[in-house]
Amino acid sequence: MKTVVIDCREMTDRRAAHEYLARKLSFPEYYGHNLDALHDCLGDISEEVCIVVYRPHEMYESLGQYAEIMADVLRMSGEENPYISVMFESE
């Protein structure tokens, strides 16, 4: 199983967050850089991957309520797609 560590210190604003996620998760060029596109691309993952969200409090501080929705999309995608698991770690 592949492990992808998402360091939330890189998510300083919405654009940076989506660009970082696209790069770390190898999303296709057509990735729409929004929450719907995030959900769609996570749903398309067809290899086993564990996504570790590191320092999520940094994301919440930078993105506010948008971070909460993004975290929900990550959690929901982990529940819907049997190939991915999502873990949130504080340190």
Side-chain angles (χ1 to χ4, degrees), residues 10-58:
E10 301 290 328
M11 298 181 168
T12 55
D13 59 33
R14 289 181 187 192
R15 180 181 172 144
H18 284 287
E19 288 178 0
Y20 180 68
L21 288 172
R23 185 173 63 254
K24 291 293 287 189
L25 295 167
S26 303
F27 287 163
E29 284 291 315
Y30 60 81
Y31 175 62
H33 295 82
N34 60 58
L35 295 171
D36 287 333
L38 176 61
H39 182 259
D40 290 344
C41 284
L42 288 170
D44 289 342
I45 292 175
S46 59
E47 65 176 305
E48 288 190 2
V49 61
C50 177
I51 300 170
V52 180
V53 182
Y54 181 68
R55 303 188 118 205
H57 64 278
E58 300 276 347

Side-chain angles (χ1 to χ4, degrees), residues 3 8-9 16 19 24 26 32 36 39 41-43 52 55 60 62 68 71-72 75 80 90:
T3 299
C8 291
R9 292 177 291 188
E19 288 178 0
K24 291 293 287 189
S26 303
D36 287 333
H39 182 259
C41 284
L42 288 170
V52 180
R55 303 188 118 205
Y60 295 125
S62 297
E68 293 176 28
D72 287 343
R75 282 187 195 97
E80 293 173 352
S90 58

Side-chain angles (χ1 to χ4, degrees), residues 1-6 24-25 42 45 47-54 74 78 81-89:
M1 176 183 289
K2 178 175 150 183
T3 299
V4 176
V5 177
I6 303 298
K24 291 293 287 189
L25 295 167
L42 288 170
I45 292 175
E47 65 176 305
E48 288 190 2
V49 61
C50 177
I51 300 170
V52 180
V53 182
Y54 181 68
L74 289 165
N81 185 338
Y83 290 105
I84 62 175
S85 61
V86 180
M87 297 173 32
F88 287 79
E89 293 190 352

